[in-house]
Structure formats: C-alpha cells, structure tokens
Amino acid sequence: MGLTGQYLRYEPAALFGLVASARAGVAFVALRGERGRYVAVPACEHVFVWDTRKGEKVLILKGLKQQVSCLCPSPDGLHLAVGYEDGAIRVFNLLSGESAITFNGHRAAVTALQYDHLGGRLVSGSKDTEVIVWDVINESGLYRLRGHKDVITQVLFLKEKNLLVTCAKDTLVKWWDLDTQHCFKTVVGHRAEVWGMALLSQEKRLITGSADSELRVWDLTYIQEVKDPDEPESKKSKGSSSPGAEEKTEEDETLELDEHPEERIVKCSKVGSIMREGRDRVVTLGTDRMGKFLACHGTDAVLEVFSVLSEEEIQKKLEKKMKKARKKAKQNSEEEPERSVELSLQEEIQRVTSVKASSKIKSFDLILSPKGELKMVLLLQNNVIELYNLDLSAQVAQAVRVSRITTGGHRSDVRTLAFSSDNIAILSAAAESVKIWNRSTLQCIRTMECEYALCSLFVPGDRQVILGTKTGKLQLYDLASGSLIETLDAHDGAVWSIALSPDQHGFVTGGADKCVKFWEFELVKDENSVQKRLSMKHVRVLQLDEDVLCVRYSPNQKLLAVSLLDCTVKVFYVDTLKFFLSLYGHKLPVLCMDICYDGTLIATGSADRNVKIWGLDFGDCHRSLFAHDDSVMYLQFVPKSHLFFTAGKDNKIKQWDADKFEHIQTLEGHHQEVWCLALSPNGDYVVSASHDKSLRLWERTREPLILEEEREMQREAEYEESVAKEEQPVVAGERQGETGLAGKKTIETIKAAERIMEAIELYREETAKLKEHNAICKAAGKEVPFPVNPILRAYGNITPSAYVLEVFKKVKSSELEESLLVLPFSYVPDLLRLFNEFIQQGSDVELLCRALLFLLKIHFGQITSNQMLVTVIENLKKTTISRVSEARDVLGFNMAGLQFLKREIEAKEEVTFFADATERFEEKKRKRKKKEKMVLAML
C-alpha cells in the first residue's frame, strides 16, 4: 500500500441514544406558531428541539465541539441563545436552524443567559465571575461588568428600569445601573450560595433561593434618582429620607450619594421567607413568562409550584379580611379596627402543588396556556423529558403527566456495545435495558428489560443476543419477539467479559469469582412450542487465583488470553487449559485487550493509562505506549489489520498502528468518560458509548490520512487554544474596575486584524504605484496602460480604498473592537484618512463612526500629539457631524412615519373594538329582558 493510502480517516457520522443532557436547562420554544408544544434541550454540543405531543425530534441546532451549558429563548420566540462550555454564545434562528450571531467574551462556561423584554439585549453570566451585556441587533458586545467573586448563577433584566440584577455563588445579589455601568447596591442577606432568583409582582418583589429550605422574599421600592431642576428649593427632593433635606448644599448631596447610593435608585428590604418542602439547596428557581406562577426544585425529584397573587386578587382578599374584622369587632361591640388588615406572605404566594417526577430533576420550564392550564416540562437526570399539565380550574390542583420522551436512549450509562455480523444492527446495554439500533437510520428497533449488563455478544445468525450481568447471570434474548428466552447463573460474581469462539460453536466468560467458563450452543425442546430453541450448555471451567477482568480467543482458537486482577495477562492452551505465557509489566490491572486477526500480536490496555503490544509467540513486549490521560477502558483491533482503537476515561478515542507503534488519529466528541466501543466486522464503523449518555457512530471515509499533516493540524489547534488563554490587551486609559470591553482576543480577531493590515498594505502599494505611473505618463506625454492588481480585479476592478472598506465590512460586528485593539498604530493614520473619504461618500456611516470613535478612544494620546493628523481630525469632525445628522434626520422621518401608521391602525382597531363591545352589550341587555319576562310569567 502506498504512503497516501496507508491510513484512512474516521469521521463522526452521528450522535444518537441521547434524549437530553442534564448540563443545561430546558426551555419551551415557539415553533410553527405554537407555544407549549415544542421544547429545546441540550444534547452534548447540539440542541435538540422535541415535539412533546409526538415524541419526535423536529430540529437539531448543530454546535461545534464544546458542550452546551445554558439556553435562553428570545421574547419573540424566533431565536434561541445558546451558551457553551468555552464561554461562546451563539444565537440560532429557530425557523432555519442556522446560527447567525456568535459572541466571544467569556473565558469559562456560560452559566446564565437572559434577554431583555424587547429582545434587543442579551446578558450573560459565566464561571469566570463576569457579566457581559450584548447588543443582539448590532451583533456586538456593549460592556463587561465585574464585581462577583464566584460563579454567576442567575441574571435578570428589569422591564421598566434600565437595571440588572445578578446573583452568584459568592452569596451576593448585585444591582447594576446600566446607564452608568456600575454596581449601586449589594444585598448581603444570604449565608450560603445564591442558586437562583426571580422577579414577581410587576418587579416589586424579588425572591431568592439559597442552600437551605428558605425562599427569601425582598420588597423593592424604586426611588427617583434626581430632583427636577425646575422644582423650588423649599420642596423636599424625592428619594431623600432625612427630614432636613430641603436646604442641602451640593456638597451634602454628594456625601449622601457616597454614603447611601442605593437609596437613590432602589430600596431592597427583606419581608420574610417561604418555606420549601425540600431540605437541600435550590437547583432551579423560575417563573412563567407572566410571573403568575413560581416553581423551584432541589436535588431531589420534587418540583414545588406556587401561585403569586396579582394586585387585584390581593385587594379582593384584603377587602374580605376587612369585612371579617369589622364583623368581629361589631360582635365584640368594639370600635372600628383602626389599623389596616394585612395579608401574610404565605397568603400572597400560595403553594399550589408538588410534582413528583420519576427521577431527579435537573431543570424545568413553565408556560401558561391560553386554556388556563399550566404546562411544566421537566428535564431529568436519567435522559428523560417529562411534560405535566396542571388544571387550575379544578378544586384541588393536581399535576397530570401528559407525555414522556424516553425511547431515544437509555436511563443509565451504556456499559457494553456489539455489532451484528452483517454490520447493520448495533446492540447497546445498560443497567436497566438492552436496545437494538438500526445503524443506517439510527432508530431503536427493540428495547428489552435486563439486569445490569457488563458484556454482550450477538449469537451467530444475529437472531439472539447474550448478556453478561453484574449479578453473575447470562441472559439470552430472542430479537424477533423481543423476549428473554433463558437466564443462567453463570458466575458467583460479576460477568466481566464474554468472547465468542472463532468456530462460532460456543463462547467463553470470565467473572469476579476467579473462574473462566466455557459454554456451547445447543438446541433444546421448547415447552411452549414444537420447534427447538437455542440454549447454552456449560462444558468446562478454568479456575484461577485472581478475579478475571477480560478474556479473548486467538483467531485459530488455540490460545486463550485471560486478564487478571494481579495486573498480569495469562495465556493458556484452549484444548488442554495448560499455562503457556504470562504477560506482566502493567502497574495496574489490565481492563481490556484484543488479539489481532493473524494471532501474532496481543494489545493490552490498563488502568495505568498505558497500552502494551506483545508478541504471542514468545510473550515479549514490543512497545509500551502512553495512550490516554486516564484509564484505558476498551481496546479492539480493526478487522484484517494491525491497527487498533482504544477508548479512555479522558473522553477520547484513539487509533494506533501496532506495527509502527504510532498514534494515527484521535476521535474527539465525547464530553465525559468513554466506557466502551465496538467495531463493525468490515471495519468501516466504530460505535462508542460514554458517561455523557450519548452513543456516537464514526465512519471510515475514503480520505487518506497523512501523519505529518495530522500533527501540523494538532499544533495549529494547540496554538489557537493558547491564543485564547493569553492575557487580554490593555486599553490605554481604561482602569481595571467594574466595567470593561465585552469582547476577548481570539484567533478570529487576530485574523481579522491581519486582513485589515493586508488591505492597508495593498492600498499603500497601489497608491504608490499609481503616483509612479502618473509620473511616467507625464514624462512620456501619453497614456500608458496601468496593470490592475489581481485581488482588485477579483473584486470587480474596484479602487484600493474601496477594497479596504470591503475588508472592513467583512469583519464580524462582535469582533470589530477586539480586531482594532490588536491593530498596530502605524496603520491608524491611513485608516483615519480612508474613514474621512468613506464618510464623505456617505457609505456605512454607522459602522465607520463606531470604529472611528473606538480608535480615538484607544489611541487618543498618539493621535492628538501627531501634527500630521490635525487636519485629518478636523475634516473628520465636520464630515462626521454632517453625515450623522443626515442619518438621524432620515431615521427620525422614518420613525415619525411608522408612528403615524401605528396610530392609524390603532384608531381603526379601536373603532372595531368598541363596535364589538356595543353589540355584546346590546345582546346581554336582550338576554336579561328575556330572563325577566320568564321570571314574571312564572310568578
């Protein structure tokens, strides 16, 4: 085989067996004009949208490599913001399933996301303890807010005021004024981490959940920040709490602001607590979109639902209470109750019900349907989504489970995988069930209940499967009927390994009872049928001194390799069971091994993270390879070759060459420990199972893999990672205080800056060439043809300055500031001159002004001290002001036109509304008269 065809690349083909990952939250999304039917859930690096009515997957929002850590649907229901483990945020369009916007600002996983009520801004909190506010419309970062000392757990925008509330694991709740971008109040009434919070009663009340069974309730009073300048001095300034506030000097006011800044904007006072049934910490706390219902859950399987009374309902209750108090006072012949009757907190926030899920709840979402039902979707720990309905009109509100999405995966981790001999069916078995999947469609075609499975195989003919369990049993299943045919007590301990004999007449098992047992297939009479059925017969046993962890036959069926708990591998002759070789060298037990197709090599993978390759003729160790960063869990040779795959607890699957002792490629995709893998008999497919509950299928492509190129790509990836971890560039004149720039330096921002530099270099070269050309033409006295740069020709013979603008426009909006930040100052003068030219033409005024102001901010000292740039700045000042004024006039005209149209439409709607109301009133009047006539007739 030639050099280029030596190895073929394996590529990820599919992810299946996963309903939802428990890492991030679940959220109702509006799709196809329906709310309350479709839910978005994280699925490793993707987001799945499930139809809860049909139990089908309707949309996959594909991610890159990092796991999803947070979800938030936009208020208009058209977009979904997704936060990832690496700190990136992507905004997906739910109609097309495409990601249009990417924000890079956080250095660690995104833990909280929230849109404002219009959907124009998005706020994100992260494990890096920072909060960033993003402009979704402009696709850029606004600012970064620093202040918390631990992971951010929740972020909330206020609708009425331009304020933000954040809470974190540092026990603090912080209030931020977004106009001035500073923290003006810190609530310190918690003794442990604040895990969640919600705003209730039209944002007049804040409720927080911590590490105990209390939900703390805080009353919010918003205070006018500054007094009216036209107000007379004799009047008391609003928000002043001291009696002598009328005659305060400016100095006194400044002092008061410094002492009690929070009293100027919002007053936050604790009014009490709501007690939860759960004793552990709050995991998720949230409300429905209307704020009528509040729900929370801890680390158990119970969701507690509370009803929040509206102002009208509170008023009604108060009137009732007052009536009762007056009646009581009358009976006791007392005077009128002087003090007003107040409602207790428990009466204002009432417990509705508790929903008991089938497993631990990881997150939930609520939605109030137009029918008056409260829909609750629960994401459970065991790969299940449950939907409950709560009928609020019933006398006793009881949650009813209406759907459960389970068929797409196992409830627990898959511990064993196997391929059928025709490469079509895949077997996966876990603690509670065994499933058979169709490889091409990835649909589950059989689900059968089983005990905790540890090893498995397809019986020759692919009509039955055998499982070895943790309790020491062998279970034989028939695939056609999906039934358990036979159960045998094979070992006294767990059956750790099973291997089919090469002659396909039987198999061998190894268990924790220090025995290796040999079995043969036989046909026995079936009591319920005339036909004979398959059974297993125990024929021989090999007793050993240690627990057996793995057994493998050599292809010629002459040798049997047995891995023991004493870190050695013993090789025996199959016919006489006599000892042949002992392979020792591993420091920890050998968990997996395999023998190649020609029986010359045996590869062993151990918990000591090494893979050793041995010769089976003399038992000599050919090479020891440091394979994974954690235990090697599974190892298997590719059929008809000396290449093998290993799976490790370091989340990776690696391919190796046992002849050249080289690492060929790494299959990255799983986010947690890989427990097992299986290769198809033709070697074209690899299927793997992980602790992240996912099964992944990898396919061998026809693309040749060249090791040098692979190493080069690996080095590039490492460089890109190191760039992201580098110190962020410092902005001149900016203090490292509460606020900062939203973006961060990434490989994309560096590439964008390089493209701008290249464009400016080309512009310089072309202008110099043009000057030279004009001089030659002048000297020659005739027109000489000017050679056009091929790059400019590719853009349609545009001018060099227009090319710079094209390159500038192609920089992503979210990366613009960071790209300009790494741009050397030597390019700035040319850029400023070009900006002047572009703004005069009136093209992309908004973008250019944004870039111009940022450049002036970061290079202020150098620009002002450069005499050459004085005229440029003066010209820029004139052109910018005139062009921005023009743009504002156009915008103002358009806004006025739209508002006029809005008023016209509203006026028409009001007329129709009142017409409908009059008709209804007349109808009611007629009905009442008819009823009165009937009553009179009866009398």
Side-chain angles (χ1 to χ4, degrees):
M1 201 182 274
L3 175 70
T4 52
Q6 193 166 7
Y7 305 118
L8 293 174
R9 188 184 296 281
Y10 281 83
E11 289 282 356
L15 178 144
F16 64 106
L18 185 64
V19 175
S21 300
R23 292 281 299 169
V26 59
F28 278 110
V29 290
L31 209 65
R32 299 167 188 171
E34 281 194 66
R35 280 188 184 271
R37 178 174 173 179
Y38 300 99
V39 292
V41 291
C44 291
E45 68 271 25
H46 307 310
V47 174
F48 290 165
V49 178
W50 290 92
D51 181 344
T52 54
R53 201 175 295 167
K54 293 182 179 176
E56 291 175 359
K57 204 184 296 170
V58 291
L59 185 64
I60 299 174
L61 307 176
K62 292 197 172 177
L64 300 171
K65 282 184 180 177
Q66 297 295 328
Q67 201 169 0
V68 173
S69 62
C70 197
L71 295 179
C72 181
S74 65
D76 60 6
L78 298 174
H79 296 92
L80 182 73
V82 182
Y84 294 90
E85 286 284 322
D86 62 346
I89 299 162
R90 296 173 78 198
V91 179
F92 287 90
N93 185 325
L94 288 171
L95 299 174
S96 63
E98 297 296 317
S99 164
I101 308 166
T102 304
F103 295 128
N104 280 306
H106 291 292
R107 295 187 301 278
V110 178
T111 52
L113 282 172
Q114 188 71 40
Y115 277 96
D116 68 356
H117 69 291
L118 294 172
R121 288 179 301 174
L122 178 71
V123 62
S124 60
S126 164
K127 278 187 179 176
D128 63 8
T129 75
E130 292 176 346
V131 175
I132 301 179
V133 181
W134 307 92
D135 185 341
V136 179
I137 295 157
N138 198 28
E139 299 180 17
S140 63
L142 294 174
Y143 37 80
R144 183 187 298 266
L145 303 170
R146 304 184 187 98
H148 283 289
K149 299 285 185 287
D150 210 333
V151 178
I152 310 291
T153 51
Q154 182 68 287
V155 284
L156 296 172
F157 273 113
L158 271 76
K159 282 182 191 173
E160 304 301 325
K161 307 264 178 184
N162 194 21
L163 303 177
L164 179 73
V165 199
T166 61
C167 65
K169 284 164 76 172
D170 58 3
T171 76
L172 303 176
V173 175
K174 283 182 176 285
W175 289 77
W176 306 83
D177 184 352
L178 297 183
D179 292 326
T180 56
Q181 294 144 40
H182 81 287
C183 173
F184 64 87
K185 183 174 180 63
T186 303
V187 180
V188 289
H190 301 87
R191 293 180 182 178
E193 299 96 331
V194 184
W195 288 101
M197 62 180 176
L199 287 161
L200 306 172
S201 311
Q202 295 172 341
E203 297 178 349
K204 289 176 185 169
R205 189 161 271 175
L206 179 74
I207 188 159
T208 57
S210 187
D212 49 22
S213 54
E214 268 186 69
L215 293 178
R216 291 165 179 80
V217 184
W218 311 78
D219 260 352
L220 308 177
T221 315
Y222 301 103
I223 302 158
Q224 291 297 320
E225 193 176 356
V226 289
K227 64 179 180 180
D228 192 344
D230 301 329
E231 194 177 321
E233 279 298 314
S234 58
K235 281 195 177 181
K236 188 176 174 182
S237 95
K238 287 180 184 177
S240 304
S241 52
S242 56
E246 299 96 342
E247 298 172 11
K248 276 186 184 168
T249 61
E250 202 175 314
E251 192 178 335
D252 292 334
E253 286 203 1
T254 314
L255 279 168
E256 186 184 318
L257 251 171
D258 292 340
E259 285 170 19
H260 304 288
E262 69 271 14
E263 298 302 323
R264 288 283 173 171
I265 299 171
V266 69
K267 194 177 178 183
C268 187
S269 52
K270 190 178 175 187
V271 287
S273 294
I274 303 281
M275 298 307 291
R276 293 167 47 235
E277 286 175 353
R279 295 270 168 239
D280 46 7
R281 75 170 179 90
V282 170
V283 174
T284 321
L285 175 71
T287 62
D288 67 312
R289 285 174 180 80
M290 309 297 290
K292 287 184 179 178
F293 290 91
L294 170 80
C296 68
H297 70 89
T299 53
D300 52 9
V302 178
L303 179 77
E304 297 176 50
V305 185
F306 299 88
S307 162
V308 183
L309 296 188
S310 64
E311 282 187 10
E312 293 83 22
E313 289 169 323
I314 289 170
Q315 206 57 44
K316 278 182 187 175
K317 277 219 166 195
L318 276 171
E319 282 170 16
K320 264 190 180 181
K321 270 205 161 189
M322 281 295 287
K323 235 181 187 180
K324 275 187 182 179
R326 283 197 199 103
K327 204 175 180 183
K328 206 174 181 184
K330 213 175 184 182
Q331 283 173 359
N332 299 343
S333 64
E334 290 174 12
E335 290 178 23
E336 282 284 305
E338 283 177 23
R339 61 184 183 82
S340 62
V341 176
E342 286 185 5
L343 285 183
S344 69
L345 195 61
Q346 278 69 25
E347 285 174 308
E348 286 185 39
I349 302 171
Q350 298 173 339
R351 184 184 297 276
V352 179
T353 187
S354 290
V355 182
K356 182 88 166 71
S358 59
S359 181
K360 280 187 181 178
I361 303 170
K362 296 305 278 186
S363 117
F364 72 91
D365 196 17
L366 308 175
I367 194 166
L368 196 59
S369 70
K371 294 175 185 175
E373 280 185 330
L374 182 68
K375 291 189 173 185
M376 298 169 282
V377 64
L378 309 181
L379 171 56
L380 307 185
Q381 191 187 30
N382 63 346
N383 203 19
V384 172
I385 301 166
E386 290 185 344
L387 185 73
Y388 289 84
N389 274 8
L390 187 65
D391 188 3
L392 303 167
S393 58
Q395 196 76 35
V396 179
Q398 195 69 40
V400 180
R401 191 171 78 198
V402 287
S403 69
R404 192 166 186 254
I405 301 169
T406 59
T407 50
H410 289 275
R411 305 288 71 78
S412 54
D413 292 4
V414 171
R415 298 309 297 258
T416 176
L417 291 164
F419 254 105
S420 61
S421 59
D422 57 4
N423 311 295
I424 289 172
I426 299 168
L427 175 149
S428 65
E432 80 301 320
S433 65
V434 54
K435 287 179 183 280
I436 309 295
W437 308 81
N438 183 317
R439 193 214 70 235
S440 54
T441 63
L442 301 174
Q443 293 298 312
C444 178
I445 50 179
R446 275 282 180 275
T447 300
M448 299 162 283
E449 285 185 12
C450 69
E451 290 187 23
Y452 199 124
L454 294 174
C455 53
S456 61
L457 60 82
F458 273 92
V459 173
D462 299 333
R463 291 185 179 186
Q464 295 90 11
V465 292
I466 297 171
L467 299 183
T469 71
K470 203 173 185 177
T471 52
K473 290 181 177 135
L474 284 177
Q475 294 186 310
L476 178 66
Y477 289 89
D478 179 53
L479 296 185
S481 62
S483 59
L484 176 65
I485 303 172
E486 190 176 5
T487 303
L488 291 177
D489 289 320
H491 292 266
D492 292 335
V495 182
W496 288 116
S497 185
I498 189 167
L500 187 68
S501 62
D503 64 4
Q504 299 193 340
H505 291 162
F507 60 94
V508 63
T509 59
D513 59 354
K514 305 176 185 177
C515 288
V516 174
K517 292 190 177 181
F518 294 82
W519 307 80
E520 280 183 4
F521 297 119
E522 63 171 358
L523 291 169
V524 295
K525 276 189 179 179
D526 191 356
E527 294 168 7
N528 306 325
S529 172
V530 183
Q531 291 179 339
K532 288 185 175 182
R533 66 165 179 83
L534 188 79
S535 181
M536 304 167 283
K537 185 173 76 175
H538 177 226
V539 286
R540 283 192 298 173
V541 63
L542 172 64
Q543 190 68 42
L544 295 154
D545 300 330
E546 294 285 342
D547 289 14
V548 177
L549 298 177
C550 190
V551 288
R552 285 291 179 270
Y553 273 111
S554 66
N556 57 11
Q557 208 170 327
K558 285 186 177 178
L559 302 172
L560 178 76
V562 182
S563 151
L564 301 174
L565 200 61
D566 63 0
C567 312
T568 64
V569 175
K570 301 272 196 294
V571 184
F572 298 90
Y573 289 105
V574 173
D575 49 1
T576 59
L577 297 184
K578 281 186 178 177
F579 174 75
F580 172 49
L581 291 169
S582 178
L583 313 176
Y584 54 89
H586 283 289
K587 295 177 180 69
L588 289 168
V590 174
L591 303 176
C592 52
M593 61 181 175
D594 199 17
I595 299 170
C596 67
Y597 77 103
D598 54 8
T600 55
L601 299 172
I602 178 170
T604 58
S606 163
D608 63 8
R609 305 179 288 177
N610 291 316
V611 166
K612 289 183 189 286
I613 298 160
W614 318 75
L616 254 187
D617 39 9
F618 303 111
D620 55 323
C621 181
H622 291 186
R623 185 65 64 94
S624 182
L625 305 166
F626 181 71
H628 290 269
D629 296 329
D630 209 330
S631 304
V632 182
M633 296 305 293
Y634 209 85
L635 186 151
Q636 193 174 346
F637 272 97
V638 178
K640 308 275 190 312
S641 77
H642 282 187
L643 309 178
F644 64 91
F645 280 93
T646 59
K649 272 191 177 178
D650 59 353
N651 317 347
K652 293 185 177 76
I653 298 163
K654 294 185 179 182
Q655 190 186 13
W656 307 83
D657 186 338
D659 290 332
K660 296 182 178 175
F661 317 119
E662 279 188 312
H663 170 220
I664 301 165
Q665 75 172 120
T666 302
L667 304 180
E668 288 185 0
H670 285 295
H671 300 286
Q672 290 181 32
E673 301 95 321
V674 184
W675 296 127
C676 54
L677 59 84
L679 273 121
S680 61
N682 61 5
D684 283 346
Y685 299 96
V686 180
V687 65
S688 56
S690 164
H691 184 46
D692 61 17
K693 299 276 195 303
S694 71
L695 299 174
R696 285 176 191 264
L697 186 69
W698 315 81
E699 189 176 0
R700 184 162 61 187
T701 61
R702 301 297 107 198
E703 181 194 345
L705 186 145
I706 298 159
L707 292 179
E708 288 74 24
E709 284 181 11
E710 199 70 13
R711 304 287 177 269
E712 186 60 38
M713 282 162 65
Q714 204 173 338
R715 280 194 291 272
E716 277 179 22
E718 282 170 9
Y719 167 68
E720 286 182 15
E721 272 182 33
S722 67
V723 164
K725 287 173 186 172
E726 278 177 18
E727 282 297 312
Q728 297 299 308
V730 178
V731 181
E734 188 189 82
R735 292 188 300 120
Q736 285 294 309
E738 280 186 339
T739 56
L741 286 174
K744 71 169 182 181
K745 183 181 167 188
T746 61
I747 196 71
E748 282 80 17
T749 61
I750 292 167
K751 283 176 182 174
E754 283 172 356
R755 284 196 296 273
I756 295 168
M757 285 153 65
E758 283 166 11
I760 294 167
E761 290 281 359
L762 186 137
Y763 165 74
R764 285 173 181 171
E765 285 170 21
E766 289 301 307
T767 42
K769 277 182 193 174
L770 193 64
K771 276 181 186 176
E772 200 179 306
H773 175 74
N774 289 342
I776 291 165
C777 289
K778 203 173 182 183
K782 60 176 182 177
E783 192 67 38
V784 180
F786 180 69
V788 181
N789 189 298
I791 295 171
L792 300 178
R793 190 177 293 157
Y795 276 82
N797 284 345
I798 58 171
T799 61
S801 58
Y803 173 67
V804 175
L805 181 62
E806 282 297 315
V807 169
F808 207 81
K809 277 156 68 177
K810 282 182 181 174
V811 177
K812 279 186 183 174
S813 182
S814 56
E815 293 167 2
L816 182 64
E817 277 86 359
E818 288 297 323
S819 302
L820 292 172
L821 200 57
V822 294
L823 195 73
F825 180 73
S826 56
Y827 294 93
V828 172
D830 287 313
L831 209 49
L832 292 176
R833 290 186 188 97
L834 286 166
F835 280 0
N836 191 23
E837 186 187 317
F838 301 147
I839 293 168
Q840 273 178 342
Q841 293 165 9
S843 54
D844 295 284
V845 176
E846 194 182 335
L847 171 73
L848 295 170
C849 285
R850 181 181 153 200
L852 171 66
L853 293 171
F854 186 74
L855 285 172
L856 290 172
K857 180 184 168 185
I858 59 173
H859 297 298
F860 182 76
Q862 285 169 294
I863 290 169
T864 50
S865 60
N866 192 332
Q867 290 297 315
M868 303 282 284
L869 291 174
V870 172
T871 51
V872 178
I873 295 296
E874 282 297 320
N875 292 337
L876 270 168
K877 187 180 170 184
K878 287 173 194 169
T879 51
T880 306
I881 290 167
S882 65
R883 287 295 177 189
V884 169
S885 300
E886 281 174 29
R888 281 173 72 181
D889 291 344
V890 171
L891 200 64
F893 180 82
N894 291 344
M895 283 295 287
L898 288 168
Q899 278 166 357
F900 172 73
L901 288 169
K902 184 186 172 188
R903 282 196 298 273
E904 287 283 303
I905 292 161
E906 280 176 354
K908 280 180 186 174
E909 281 181 355
E910 268 181 26
V911 169
T912 54
F913 173 75
F914 282 118
D916 291 350
T918 314
E919 277 176 26
R920 281 202 296 272
F921 178 71
E922 289 295 330
E923 199 178 332
K924 274 186 181 177
K925 207 174 179 182
R926 279 198 301 272
K927 278 184 180 176
R928 193 165 65 244
K929 278 185 180 176
K930 199 176 179 184
K931 202 175 182 183
E932 280 173 8
K933 276 181 186 176
M934 283 175 73
V935 171
L936 284 166
M938 282 172 75
L939 287 166

